[in-house]
Amino acid sequence: MTAWLLDPEVLHLNHGSFGATPAVVLEAQQRIRTRIEANPTRFFLEGEYQERLDCTRHAVAQFVGADPAGLVFVSNATAGVNSVLRSLEPSLMPGDEILVTDHEYNACANAAVVTASRAGAVVTTVAVPFPLENRSEVVDAVLGAVTDRTRVLLIDAVTSATGLVMPVDELVAQLEPDVRVLVDAAHAPGMVDFDVTELGASYVTANCHKWMCSAKGAAFLWVRPDRRDGVHHAVVSHGCNGGWPSQGGHLHAQFDWTGTHDPSAWLTVSDALAAVEAMHPDGWPGVKAAIRELCLGGRDVLIEALGIDPAAPADMIGAIASVPLPPADHSGSAIFDPLMAALRERHGIEVPVFTWPAPPDRVLRISAHLYNRQSDYDRLAEALKAELR
């Protein structure tokens, strides 16, 4: 735990919500901030900012299999989704459809609703079963909802509430280029093998502050070459008329400078990649294998404790997994179940318990990263038995 600043008095099983940043990365971020504050004019106007940003961009692009020309930084995956959807509004006609699943992250589903309302389009929500037995149930459900008016599919690479690794590769292969696929890969890089170019989707956005463990506020958006000219930042700024930067292509002009902000989280993503890679003798492949093994082992412990069957096959699990809990309709409106607070206050365990998909149904979601141990999930199982008896 010494590599992290996490409170040792709390059992942290919720990496998936906000990530956790190694201490050395936060130290690097503070050095960048100090450098900026020493002379902001020099840093931003004499090329240092752009040079550092381009270096970081190349490191992230290499990590996710992207070309740097198509990769830009945003504050989080939700911002990336919003920028793409706002850019698509002029091309949508009344009656056109944006497709989402009922596992879609709420913030991004909201963005789809707002875009549809502006364009006179509609959002169609596809019901994907949970529990489920195989990937084909997702593929069949989504493809079965596609019509001749479907223009966009917005889909998670790894779902937030249910922790499913979705078959986005199969869906992209079936739908592109007729239906543009926007992949919300908030959880994917650093958790599962993920190559955006090989995937072939029109748009991919993902967080760096989750499984890549950067400082909070770092994410990227990648756009396929044939879609780049049509994408603009949701914040209109200097790049719209070539004001900043003067070179680097359309996407970089739109996203690299949208006004004064703290870019330190972006500029230390490469530090995070190096820090986490060094935590395992096999580097990033070893990290991903280790955290997945932890998660699957933890899920097995919970399944046995609850006396239930697995809610999804192992090949749809990365480093987060959800297990259904006995129904408990406490408030009818709260997103987080009171059991979450009970586990924190009485057992010192930080783990999310969601009302999902609607009361009285709920799920508990575990995460795994290198600061976790298998015994952590044994402790959670015992706490659950005490709270659910």
Side-chain angles (χ1 to χ4, degrees):
M1 188 79 87
T2 55
W4 313 80
L5 299 184
L6 294 163
D7 183 351
E9 300 300 316
V10 177
L11 180 54
H12 297 274
L13 301 178
N14 191 22
H15 189 91
S17 285
F18 306 106
T21 307
V24 293
V25 179
L26 295 174
E27 292 164 3
Q29 182 183 30
Q30 186 55 49
R31 288 195 295 272
I32 288 287
R33 285 174 165 160
T34 300
R35 176 72 177 171
I36 293 170
E37 294 307 321
N39 191 333
T41 302
R42 177 191 63 200
F43 186 86
F44 286 116
L45 296 185
E46 295 186 10
E48 184 171 354
Y49 164 69
Q50 194 67 50
E51 181 180 350
R52 286 177 178 264
L53 187 67
D54 288 338
C55 287
T56 306
R57 188 191 334 264
H58 278 77
V60 174
Q62 182 177 19
F63 187 72
V64 299
D67 62 307
L71 190 143
V72 291
F73 290 98
V74 289
S75 58
N76 50 52
T78 302
V81 166
N82 273 268
S83 290
V84 171
L85 291 176
R86 289 293 300 273
S87 299
L88 290 175
E89 285 177 15
S91 68
L92 295 173
M93 304 295 292
D96 284 350
E97 298 172 352
I98 301 173
L99 211 59
V100 301
T101 78
D102 58 353
H103 294 242
E104 180 59 46
Y105 189 59
N106 181 62
C108 296
N110 286 343
V113 169
V114 171
T115 281
S117 68
R118 288 180 175 140
V122 296
V123 173
T124 300
T125 302
V126 183
V128 170
F130 185 80
L132 78 173
E133 294 184 359
N134 54 63
R135 293 161 52 98
S136 65
E137 294 181 63
V138 180
V139 175
D140 292 345
V142 173
L143 295 182
V146 173
T147 73
D148 59 1
R149 299 305 302 269
T150 304
R151 299 292 177 262
V152 183
L153 169 65
L154 166 61
I155 188 164
D156 286 348
V158 182
T159 61
S160 179
T162 48
L164 298 176
V165 178
M166 299 290 264
V168 289
D169 52 346
E170 297 177 49
L171 292 169
V172 169
Q174 291 281 345
L175 295 175
E176 288 277 8
D178 297 329
V179 175
R180 299 180 186 223
V181 180
L182 166 54
V183 179
D184 176 2
H187 293 278
M191 181 205 290
V192 296
D193 292 335
F194 195 74
D195 186 301
V196 300
T197 301
E198 183 178 315
L199 178 62
S202 289
Y203 320 96
V204 178
T205 186
N207 289 320
C208 302
H209 55 245
K210 296 212 176 187
W211 306 96
M212 293 163 67
C213 298
S214 77
K216 310 293 184 289
F220 70 84
L221 168 65
W222 179 85
V223 183
R224 205 172 63 203
D226 58 313
R227 306 295 196 197
R228 289 173 190 171
D229 286 346
V231 173
H232 304 269
H233 199 294
V235 175
V236 178
S237 191
H238 297 290
C240 278
N241 64 354
W244 178 307
S246 59
Q247 58 185 0
H250 167 78
L251 275 183
H252 294 188
Q254 298 295 310
F255 286 81
D256 283 4
W257 182 263
T258 57
T260 304
H261 72 294
D262 180 355
S264 59
W266 295 358
L267 301 182
T268 52
V269 175
S270 53
D271 294 275
L273 291 174
V276 178
E277 181 178 41
M279 292 180 184
H280 196 283
D282 295 327
W284 270 103
V287 171
K288 289 183 280 190
I291 61 178
R292 182 171 185 267
E293 181 180 358
L294 270 173
C295 183
L296 286 171
R299 188 180 73 145
D300 287 345
V301 168
L302 296 181
I303 286 170
E304 181 177 357
L306 295 167
I308 61 174
D309 294 324
D315 66 359
M316 294 185 73
I317 301 298
I320 53 175
S322 290
V323 293
L325 294 177
D329 193 354
H330 294 285
S331 67
S333 60
I335 296 175
F336 294 103
D337 190 271
L339 176 59
M340 181 175 174
L343 290 169
R344 177 192 303 119
E345 294 163 7
R346 290 198 279 268
H347 303 276
I349 300 174
E350 199 67 74
V351 66
V353 182
F354 300 104
T355 296
W356 195 90
D361 295 321
R362 54 186 181 159
V363 296
L364 179 146
R365 190 193 72 190
I366 57 171
S367 299
H369 216 288
L370 294 179
Y371 52 80
N372 292 123
R373 298 292 180 266
Q374 199 64 54
S375 58
D376 295 347
Y377 306 101
D378 297 328
R379 178 175 157 188
L380 173 60
E382 292 304 312
L384 275 178
K385 289 178 183 178
E387 293 297 330
L388 296 176
R389 64 187 174 194

